[in-house]
Amino acid sequence: MEEKKRMTKEQLEAELRSMRIKGTINRILAFCAVLAMILTFVITESRIVALVFLIIAVVFGAQASQATKSSSEIRKLLGKMMTNEQIETKLKFTLIKATIPRILTWCAVAAIILTLVITEDLIKALGFLVIAIVVGKLSGRATERSGEIKEILGENVITDVIRDVLGDDVEYNPVGALAPGGVVVPFSYDHSSGSHHIKTVYTGVNIELGSIKLFYEHRYTQEETGETVIDELVRFRGPWIICDFGKKPACGVYISEWTKKDRKIMKSNVNIDNGQFGSRFCVRADDPYEAYRILTPQMMEAISAAADKSGSTVYMSFLPDGKMHFAIQTGHDLFELGKDYEDAQGLRQRFSEELRRLTDIIDTLNV
């Protein structure tokens, strides 16, 4: 992959053509080997020869798969050399290429059913089946290709937006995950995953932000088999902000916005004189004095304003290491493409608004 990154656009295009030819040839040879295996087994019943053809089919299939993987990597590199408008146009064209074979596949399936029901002609039905398989394969490849282009477009737009909002000196990893750390949320979870990890200095403050999912593993035993089954339940999903404001409490102070469900399970051990704040947020701390020290009237006002700007349920913590965590339970990932991924300008505007909303929250909390 590193070698490919050093190639010019012309070299990458030549390599892509070579990989496509190699993949096609290996797929054809794998198909012929499978066909030979079936015919050998049916006609001669020689299991040894059939096994040889099976091994050959597996080898050619593996080479075809490797060529496909290499083609995908090259297409992503070429995509990053294109403008967003060029990617957008290519995406729309690929979606059309995926739609037409999909329609033809359904037509071929309908033809199979009608042929069997009306004429009972098995040969014609098999012919339509072959057509359905071929066009279905074309549709699948086009759909996979559109997914790759969609990902490239999203990454390009996201990178541009991050630079516009946070500047050029930003560490960004689209598949990276920040560590939640601390007891930020008031419920238990077993593990986490994340994406769109951003790390930078914003208005003199070290910040990290990204998308986080928190999973709870629900274990139960099936009555029929006696086997233990694990269902992963998503307890939290949304943007997560970590700011190093340099304020180090002696213990953790945890603030959770109450919902109807949370009121049944969350208990506050800190009595807040501010009735409006106390009725909206549950406050917990090992030492209530630390909560009183942090939650000045100005800070309570800032937290309420930040929660209003988030538009969702929020959970936050002030930890002894000086870092403040602010989690927003939106139910979706940061920079989620959604249905308007074909419109690069629309994506840019939506992502920019989403990121500026988070920086506005940071500004509000930096009191």
Side-chain angles (χ1 to χ4, degrees), residues 58-96:
V58 170
V59 171
F60 283 129
Q63 291 179 356
S65 177
Q66 183 59 43
T68 300
K69 182 180 178 181
S70 296
S71 297
S72 177
E73 293 174 351
I74 295 170
R75 284 196 297 266
K76 288 182 179 180
L77 291 174
L78 285 171
K80 292 179 180 179
M81 298 179 181
M82 300 166 63
T83 65
N84 290 341
E85 289 72 21
Q86 290 173 325
I87 298 173
E88 185 180 341
T89 301
K90 194 173 185 64
L91 176 59
K92 290 178 179 178
F93 177 70
T94 306
L95 289 172
I96 293 172

Side-chain angles (χ1 to χ4, degrees), residues 11 14 20-21 26 34 40 70 75 101 109 127 134 170 181 185 210 213 215 255 270 278 340 360:
Q11 290 174 326
R20 283 174 172 171
I21 294 171
N26 279 286
V34 170
T40 300
S70 296
R75 284 196 297 266
V109 171
V134 172
V170 177
V185 290
K213 288 182 185 177
F215 298 91
I255 302 165
V270 179
D340 60 347
D360 193 16

